[in-house]
Amino acid sequence: MPTLPTLLCPQICALLFASLYILCHFIITHFKKHTDFTAGKRAGLCTFTLAVALGAVLLLPFSIISNEVLLSFPQNYYIQWLNGSLIHGLWNLVFLFSNMSLVFLMPFAYFFTESEGFAGSKKGIMARVYETSVVLLLLTLLVLGMVWVASAIVGNDAASRQSLYDLWEYYLPYLYSCISLFGVLLLLLCTPFGLSIMFTVTGKLLVKPRLLEDLDEQLSCTRFEEAAVSHRIPSCWLNLDMEMLWEQFFAIRSKRRKLELRHRASPWQRNLGYPLAMLGLLALTGISVLIVCFHVLELLLDDAAMPRGIQDASLGQVSFSIFGSFGAALQVVLIFYLMVSSVVGFYSSPLFTRLLPERQDTPLTKIIGNCVSLLVLSSALPVFSRTLGITRFDLLGDFGRFNWLGNFYIVFLYNMGFAGLTTLCLVKRVSWAVQAELIRAFGAQQRLPLLGWRVVRRSGNC
C-alpha cells in the first residue's frame, strides 16, 4: 500500500510546475510584442516550453539539495514528502515534457505562425490549424524515417530491427539522445566563451580601481576639453568639420560621464567591489577546471567515474560530495554558474546574437527560437554536469539511457576539451586584462601633463 508522501507526489509536481509556469508567463509577457493580439495560444506553448527549460535547470540542484536535507533531518515528519519517488517523478516529467516541447509543441507553434491555410480553403484559424497539422505530420514522418534509417545502419541485428517498431521505448529516447548530444556539444562551446565574456561584462558594470591614476585631474581635463569643443562648434561653417566636431564632442562627453560615475563611487565600491567580483569569478572557474582535471584522472583509473543512469533514486543515504554539505552546496553553485556562463556565451556568439530578446519588442518567432534554444541547453545540463564530474549524482530515468554516455573516448575527449578551452580562455582574458591595465596606467601618467596643453591648442583652431 503506497504511503501518504508517495500519494502526494503528483500534487507536489503539479504545484512546482504551476509556480514555474506563472514565473515564465511574466517573462514571456515582458519580452513579447503587445501589438501581436493573435499570439495567445502560441505564447502559452512558449511559456510551457520555457517552464520545462527552467525545470531542467533546477532538476539537478533540487535533487542534490534534497539529498542533503534528508541526510541532515532523516526523521523529520515535515520533510517526508521529499523522497525518492518525488525526485524520480520530476526527472521523468522533465524528460517527457522536453520531448513534447521539442518534437511537437514548438514546431506546431512555429508552423502555425507561418501558415495561412491551404489554397482554396476558407481563411480562418481552423484552416491554419489544418495546414499546421499536416505539415507537422509530414515533418514527424520525415524525422522518424531518418531515425529509422540511422538506427538500422548503426545496429544491423535482429534485436535492433525489432526495437525500431517501438515508438515510445526506442524512437523518442534515441531522438532525444541526439538532441542531448547536440546540446552538450553546444554547452562545451558556449561555456568557455561565456566565461571570458563574463569577465569583460563584470569590468564594464563595476567600477574598476585604477593604478597610478589621478581621477580628479583627468575629470577636470576632460571637462575642459568638452567645453573647448562645444565653443568651437558654433564658429565652424563647413558641414564636414561640423560632423567631426559633433562626433568628437559626443565621445568626450561619454568619457566625462564615465569618469564622473567612477568619481561618485565610494572608495569601498571602487577598491573592494570589483576585486571581490573578479576573485569570485576566478575562483569558480578555477575550481571547475580543477574538478574536471581530477575527473579526467578518475576516468583513466576507475570505470566507476563514467556517467551512468539509474532507475531508483536512493536519497538520504550518503552525500554526493566528499566534503559533505559544503561540497554539495558548491556543486549547486557551480552548476548554476556554468549554466549562466553557457547562456551568456550563447547569446554573445555571432551565430545567435540575433536571438537576443528585446523588452516589449520581441516577435513571436524569435520567442519560439529562444525557448527552443534554452530548452536544448537546459535539458543537456544534467548530462553536462555529470559528464564533467561536477556532481556525483547519477542520471535518473531516461536521462541515463543515452547511448553515447557509455563511450569512454567521447567522455574523455569531452572532459579534455572543456578543461583546455576553459583554461585557454581564462589565461587569455586575465593576461590581456593585466597587460592592458598596466599599459593604460603607465601611459596615462605620461599623457596627462600634455592633455591640458593639447586642449588649449585645439580650442584656438576650427
Side-chain angles (χ1 to χ4, degrees):
M1 181 177 180
T3 60
L4 180 60
T6 304
L7 294 175
L8 290 176
C9 287
Q11 289 83 351
I12 297 174
C13 293
L15 180 61
L16 293 175
F17 185 78
S19 303
L20 295 178
Y21 187 90
I22 294 173
L23 176 61
C24 294
H25 172 74
F26 288 110
I27 296 176
I28 296 293
T29 306
H30 177 76
F31 290 105
K32 183 174 68 71
K33 274 186 176 181
H34 285 303
T35 56
D36 195 355
F37 298 104
T38 63
K41 300 296 184 181
R42 289 165 290 164
L45 296 179
C46 294
T47 304
F48 180 87
T49 303
L50 188 60
V52 175
L54 186 56
V57 173
L58 299 175
L59 191 60
L60 194 55
F62 183 77
S63 302
I64 296 173
I65 294 174
S66 300
N67 181 73
E68 297 302 320
V69 170
L70 291 176
L71 276 175
S72 302
F73 309 99
Q75 303 299 328
N76 195 317
Y77 174 78
Y78 296 100
I79 60 172
Q80 293 303 311
W81 57 272
L82 201 62
N83 50 33
S85 300
L86 174 64
I87 302 301
H88 194 271
L90 289 174
W91 282 72
N92 287 334
L93 286 177
V94 169
F95 183 84
L96 173 63
F97 291 160
S98 298
N99 277 285
M100 288 177 52
S101 300
L102 292 174
V103 179
F104 299 108
L105 299 184
M106 286 295 95
F108 182 87
Y110 178 77
F111 290 139
F112 186 82
T113 303
E114 301 296 327
S115 65
E116 297 179 356
F118 291 111
S121 62
K122 186 178 179 180
K123 301 299 181 181
I125 297 297
M126 293 307 300
R128 297 175 63 184
V129 171
Y130 292 150
E131 181 185 357
T132 303
S133 302
V134 171
V135 174
L136 184 59
L137 177 61
L138 294 177
L139 178 63
T140 303
L141 293 177
L142 176 63
V143 173
L144 291 180
M146 294 174 61
V147 174
W148 195 91
V149 173
S151 304
I153 294 175
V154 173
N156 191 19
D157 55 345
S160 299
R161 288 194 296 270
Q162 182 65 28
S163 63
L164 294 177
Y165 301 99
D166 196 337
L167 175 65
W168 183 258
E169 291 294 330
Y170 186 80
Y171 268 117
L172 290 182
Y174 186 85
L175 179 61
Y176 194 72
S177 176
C178 298
I179 297 175
S180 176
L181 179 60
F182 173 76
V184 169
L185 293 177
L186 192 61
L187 284 172
L188 176 62
L189 298 176
C190 292
T191 303
F193 181 64
L195 291 173
S196 62
I197 295 296
M198 288 180 66
F199 281 96
T200 304
V201 172
T202 303
K204 292 181 179 179
L205 294 179
L206 299 179
V207 179
K208 295 190 293 184
R210 297 294 189 180
L211 301 174
L212 306 175
E213 180 184 48
D214 190 346
L215 192 59
D216 294 328
E217 188 172 357
Q218 281 197 16
L219 184 57
S220 62
C221 291
T222 305
R223 287 172 176 171
F224 184 70
E225 188 174 4
E226 182 183 8
V229 174
S230 64
H231 288 308
R232 291 172 57 192
I233 293 177
S235 60
C236 289
W237 54 275
L238 293 177
N239 293 332
L240 182 61
D241 292 339
M242 183 71 71
E243 293 178 1
M244 294 177 60
L245 283 176
W246 276 112
E247 292 179 0
Q248 184 181 3
F249 175 76
F250 289 136
I252 296 174
R253 186 171 64 175
S254 176
K255 179 181 178 181
R256 188 255 304 168
R257 290 178 177 176
K258 292 180 180 179
L259 289 174
E260 288 179 347
L261 180 63
R262 294 178 50 213
H263 190 266
R264 288 195 300 266
S266 64
W268 289 99
Q269 181 181 358
R270 185 165 52 246
N271 299 322
L272 191 62
Y274 177 79
L276 287 180
M278 294 301 293
L279 286 176
L281 293 177
L282 286 173
L284 292 176
T285 307
I287 291 173
S288 302
V289 174
L290 289 177
I291 290 176
V292 174
C293 292
F294 182 74
H295 187 242
V296 169
L297 295 178
E298 284 187 317
L299 289 173
L300 296 174
L301 300 176
D302 189 5
D303 292 338
M306 288 287 294
R308 61 189 181 91
I310 57 175
Q311 296 299 322
D312 185 20
S314 300
L315 299 181
Q317 297 183 3
V318 63
S319 178
F320 293 105
S321 173
I322 58 176
F323 299 105
S325 299
F326 174 78
L330 181 61
Q331 291 178 5
V332 172
V333 173
L334 290 177
I335 291 172
F336 283 126
Y337 175 64
L338 294 177
M339 184 61 196
V340 172
S341 302
S342 65
V343 172
V344 171
F346 177 81
Y347 283 112
S348 301
S349 61
L351 293 177
F352 304 106
T353 185
R354 295 181 180 179
L355 280 177
L356 190 65
E358 300 176 3
R359 181 178 178 271
Q360 307 295 337
D361 194 32
T362 307
L364 191 62
T365 53
K366 185 181 288 188
I367 291 179
I368 293 173
N370 279 277
C371 292
V372 171
S373 303
L374 291 177
L375 181 57
V376 170
L377 290 174
S378 60
S379 60
L381 182 63
V383 183
F384 173 77
S385 303
R386 183 61 186 91
T387 304
L388 293 179
I390 301 298
T391 180
R392 298 294 182 181
F393 194 94
D394 288 318
L395 303 172
L396 290 176
D398 291 321
F399 278 93
R401 293 176 56 187
F402 300 152
N403 298 329
W404 57 271
L405 285 176
N407 192 313
F408 170 78
Y409 298 101
I410 293 179
V411 175
F412 178 77
L413 291 177
Y414 190 86
N415 281 262
M416 292 295 295
F418 178 84
L421 290 175
T422 305
T423 304
L424 179 63
C425 291
L426 182 62
V427 172
K428 186 177 179 181
R429 179 64 59 179
V430 173
S431 61
W432 280 10
V434 173
Q435 182 181 2
E437 186 67 22
L438 291 176
I439 293 175
R440 188 215 58 78
F442 289 103
Q445 292 295 313
Q446 298 176 2
R447 294 194 306 268
L448 194 57
L450 302 177
L451 181 59
W453 174 247
R454 186 174 71 248
V455 172
V456 172
R457 293 191 61 185
R458 285 183 180 178
S459 61
N461 300 321
C462 179

Short mmCIF file of all heavy atoms in Angstrom, two decimals, residues 222-248:
data_model
loop_
_atom_site.label_atom_id
_atom_site.label_comp_id
_atom_site.label_asym_id
_atom_site.label_seq_id
_atom_site.Cartn_x
_atom_site.Cartn_y
_atom_site.Cartn_z
N THR A 222 39.08 66.54 -18.83
CA THR A 222 38.02 66.12 -19.76
C THR A 222 36.92 67.16 -19.83
O THR A 222 36.39 67.44 -20.92
CB THR A 222 37.46 64.76 -19.31
OG1 THR A 222 38.52 63.81 -19.19
CG2 THR A 222 36.44 64.24 -20.31
N ARG A 223 36.55 67.74 -18.69
CA ARG A 223 35.54 68.80 -18.71
C ARG A 223 36.04 70.02 -19.50
O ARG A 223 35.28 70.65 -20.25
CB ARG A 223 35.21 69.22 -17.28
CG ARG A 223 34.37 68.19 -16.53
CD ARG A 223 34.23 68.56 -15.08
NE ARG A 223 33.36 67.63 -14.36
CZ ARG A 223 33.19 67.61 -13.04
NH1 ARG A 223 33.87 68.49 -12.28
NH2 ARG A 223 32.39 66.74 -12.48
N PHE A 224 37.31 70.35 -19.34
CA PHE A 224 37.87 71.49 -20.07
C PHE A 224 37.88 71.21 -21.57
O PHE A 224 37.56 72.08 -22.40
CB PHE A 224 39.29 71.76 -19.56
CG PHE A 224 39.93 72.96 -20.19
CD1 PHE A 224 39.49 74.25 -19.90
CD2 PHE A 224 40.98 72.81 -21.08
CE1 PHE A 224 40.09 75.36 -20.48
CE2 PHE A 224 41.58 73.91 -21.67
CZ PHE A 224 41.13 75.20 -21.36
N GLU A 225 38.22 69.98 -21.95
CA GLU A 225 38.23 69.62 -23.37
C GLU A 225 36.82 69.63 -23.94
O GLU A 225 36.60 70.06 -25.08
CB GLU A 225 38.86 68.24 -23.54
CG GLU A 225 39.08 67.84 -24.99
CD GLU A 225 39.85 66.54 -25.11
OE1 GLU A 225 40.14 65.92 -24.05
OE2 GLU A 225 40.17 66.14 -26.24
N GLU A 226 35.84 69.17 -23.18
CA GLU A 226 34.45 69.20 -23.64
C GLU A 226 33.97 70.62 -23.85
O GLU A 226 33.30 70.94 -24.86
CB GLU A 226 33.56 68.47 -22.64
CG GLU A 226 32.10 68.40 -23.04
CD GLU A 226 31.24 67.73 -21.99
OE1 GLU A 226 31.75 67.46 -20.88
OE2 GLU A 226 30.04 67.50 -22.25
N ALA A 227 34.30 71.50 -22.91
CA ALA A 227 33.90 72.90 -23.05
C ALA A 227 34.57 73.56 -24.26
O ALA A 227 33.95 74.35 -24.99
CB ALA A 227 34.23 73.67 -21.78
N ALA A 228 35.83 73.21 -24.49
CA ALA A 228 36.55 73.80 -25.63
C ALA A 228 35.93 73.36 -26.95
O ALA A 228 35.75 74.17 -27.87
CB ALA A 228 38.02 73.40 -25.57
N VAL A 229 35.59 72.08 -27.07
CA VAL A 229 34.98 71.59 -28.31
C VAL A 229 33.60 72.19 -28.50
O VAL A 229 33.20 72.55 -29.63
CB VAL A 229 34.93 70.05 -28.30
CG1 VAL A 229 34.16 69.53 -29.51
CG2 VAL A 229 36.33 69.46 -28.28
N SER A 230 32.82 72.32 -27.41
CA SER A 230 31.48 72.91 -27.53
C SER A 230 31.54 74.37 -27.98
O SER A 230 30.65 74.85 -28.70
CB SER A 230 30.75 72.80 -26.20
OG SER A 230 31.41 73.57 -25.20
N HIS A 231 32.60 75.12 -27.62
CA HIS A 231 32.76 76.50 -28.08
C HIS A 231 33.18 76.58 -29.54
O HIS A 231 32.92 77.59 -30.20
CB HIS A 231 33.78 77.24 -27.21
CG HIS A 231 33.27 77.56 -25.83
ND1 HIS A 231 32.07 78.20 -25.60
CD2 HIS A 231 33.80 77.31 -24.59
CE1 HIS A 231 31.88 78.33 -24.29
NE2 HIS A 231 32.92 77.80 -23.65
N ARG A 232 33.83 75.55 -30.03
CA ARG A 232 34.27 75.56 -31.43
C ARG A 232 33.13 75.26 -32.40
O ARG A 232 33.20 75.65 -33.56
CB ARG A 232 35.37 74.51 -31.63
CG ARG A 232 36.69 74.84 -30.96
CD ARG A 232 37.63 73.67 -31.05
NE ARG A 232 37.86 73.26 -32.43
CZ ARG A 232 38.46 72.13 -32.78
NH1 ARG A 232 38.83 71.27 -31.84
NH2 ARG A 232 38.64 71.83 -34.05
N ILE A 233 32.08 74.56 -31.93
CA ILE A 233 31.01 74.14 -32.84
C ILE A 233 30.29 75.33 -33.49
O ILE A 233 30.08 75.34 -34.71
CB ILE A 233 30.03 73.22 -32.09
CG1 ILE A 233 30.72 71.90 -31.74
CG2 ILE A 233 28.78 72.96 -32.93
CD1 ILE A 233 29.86 70.95 -30.93
N PRO A 234 29.87 76.39 -32.77
CA PRO A 234 29.15 77.49 -33.45
C PRO A 234 30.00 78.25 -34.46
O PRO A 234 29.47 78.88 -35.38
CB PRO A 234 28.73 78.39 -32.29
CG PRO A 234 28.77 77.53 -31.08
CD PRO A 234 29.91 76.58 -31.31
N SER A 235 31.32 78.23 -34.31
CA SER A 235 32.18 79.02 -35.20
C SER A 235 32.56 78.30 -36.48
O SER A 235 33.22 78.89 -37.33
CB SER A 235 33.45 79.43 -34.45
OG SER A 235 34.17 78.29 -34.03
N CYS A 236 32.18 77.01 -36.59
CA CYS A 236 32.52 76.25 -37.80
C CYS A 236 31.38 76.36 -38.81
O CYS A 236 30.21 76.27 -38.45
CB CYS A 236 32.77 74.78 -37.45
SG CYS A 236 34.30 74.52 -36.54
N TRP A 237 31.73 76.55 -40.09
CA TRP A 237 30.71 76.71 -41.12
C TRP A 237 30.75 75.62 -42.17
O TRP A 237 29.85 75.53 -43.02
CB TRP A 237 30.89 78.07 -41.82
CG TRP A 237 32.28 78.27 -42.36
CD1 TRP A 237 33.35 78.74 -41.68
CD2 TRP A 237 32.71 78.02 -43.70
NE1 TRP A 237 34.45 78.80 -42.48
CE2 TRP A 237 34.09 78.37 -43.76
CE3 TRP A 237 32.09 77.55 -44.85
CZ2 TRP A 237 34.84 78.23 -44.91
CZ3 TRP A 237 32.83 77.43 -46.00
CH2 TRP A 237 34.20 77.76 -46.03
N LEU A 238 31.75 74.71 -42.14
CA LEU A 238 31.79 73.59 -43.06
C LEU A 238 31.06 72.40 -42.46
O LEU A 238 31.22 72.07 -41.27
CB LEU A 238 33.24 73.19 -43.36
CG LEU A 238 34.08 74.22 -44.14
CD1 LEU A 238 35.51 73.72 -44.30
CD2 LEU A 238 33.45 74.50 -45.50
N ASN A 239 30.22 71.72 -43.27
CA ASN A 239 29.44 70.58 -42.77
C ASN A 239 30.34 69.43 -42.33
O ASN A 239 30.07 68.76 -41.34
CB ASN A 239 28.48 70.10 -43.86
CG ASN A 239 27.39 71.11 -44.16
OD1 ASN A 239 27.01 71.89 -43.28
ND2 ASN A 239 26.88 71.11 -45.39
N LEU A 240 31.41 69.20 -43.08
CA LEU A 240 32.31 68.11 -42.73
C LEU A 240 32.97 68.36 -41.38
O LEU A 240 33.05 67.47 -40.53
CB LEU A 240 33.38 67.94 -43.82
CG LEU A 240 34.38 66.80 -43.62
CD1 LEU A 240 33.64 65.45 -43.56
CD2 LEU A 240 35.42 66.77 -44.73
N ASP A 241 33.46 69.60 -41.17
CA ASP A 241 34.06 69.92 -39.88
C ASP A 241 33.03 69.85 -38.76
O ASP A 241 33.34 69.44 -37.63
CB ASP A 241 34.68 71.32 -39.94
CG ASP A 241 35.89 71.36 -40.86
OD1 ASP A 241 36.47 70.29 -41.11
OD2 ASP A 241 36.23 72.45 -41.33
N MET A 242 31.79 70.24 -39.06
CA MET A 242 30.74 70.20 -38.05
C MET A 242 30.45 68.77 -37.61
O MET A 242 30.32 68.48 -36.41
CB MET A 242 29.47 70.84 -38.61
CG MET A 242 28.33 70.91 -37.62
SD MET A 242 28.62 72.12 -36.31
CE MET A 242 28.47 73.65 -37.24
N GLU A 243 30.37 67.84 -38.57
CA GLU A 243 30.13 66.43 -38.21
C GLU A 243 31.27 65.87 -37.39
O GLU A 243 31.04 65.13 -36.42
CB GLU A 243 29.93 65.62 -39.48
CG GLU A 243 28.65 65.97 -40.26
CD GLU A 243 28.53 65.16 -41.53
OE1 GLU A 243 29.43 64.32 -41.77
OE2 GLU A 243 27.53 65.34 -42.25
N MET A 244 32.50 66.18 -37.75
CA MET A 244 33.64 65.69 -36.99
C MET A 244 33.66 66.26 -35.58
O MET A 244 33.97 65.54 -34.61
CB MET A 244 34.93 66.06 -37.71
CG MET A 244 35.12 65.37 -39.06
SD MET A 244 36.62 65.88 -39.92
CE MET A 244 37.85 65.39 -38.73
N LEU A 245 33.29 67.52 -35.45
CA LEU A 245 33.25 68.13 -34.12
C LEU A 245 32.16 67.50 -33.25
O LEU A 245 32.37 67.28 -32.05
CB LEU A 245 33.03 69.63 -34.25
CG LEU A 245 34.25 70.47 -34.66
CD1 LEU A 245 33.86 71.93 -34.84
CD2 LEU A 245 35.36 70.34 -33.61
N TRP A 246 31.01 67.24 -33.86
CA TRP A 246 29.94 66.62 -33.07
C TRP A 246 30.34 65.21 -32.63
O TRP A 246 30.06 64.81 -31.49
CB TRP A 246 28.65 66.57 -33.88
CG TRP A 246 27.85 67.83 -33.84
CD1 TRP A 246 27.60 68.70 -34.85
CD2 TRP A 246 27.19 68.38 -32.68
NE1 TRP A 246 26.84 69.76 -34.43
CE2 TRP A 246 26.56 69.58 -33.09
CE3 TRP A 246 27.06 67.99 -31.36
CZ2 TRP A 246 25.83 70.38 -32.23
CZ3 TRP A 246 26.33 68.77 -30.49
CH2 TRP A 246 25.73 69.95 -30.92
N GLU A 247 30.97 64.44 -33.49
CA GLU A 247 31.44 63.11 -33.09
C GLU A 247 32.46 63.20 -31.96
O GLU A 247 32.43 62.42 -31.00
CB GLU A 247 32.04 62.39 -34.30
CG GLU A 247 31.03 62.03 -35.38
CD GLU A 247 31.69 61.35 -36.57
OE1 GLU A 247 32.93 61.17 -36.52
OE2 GLU A 247 30.98 61.00 -37.53
N GLN A 248 33.37 64.16 -32.08
CA GLN A 248 34.36 64.35 -31.03
C GLN A 248 33.71 64.79 -29.72
O GLN A 248 34.09 64.34 -28.64
CB GLN A 248 35.39 65.37 -31.48
CG GLN A 248 36.54 65.58 -30.50
CD GLN A 248 37.53 66.62 -30.99
OE1 GLN A 248 37.33 67.25 -32.03
NE2 GLN A 248 38.61 66.81 -30.23
#
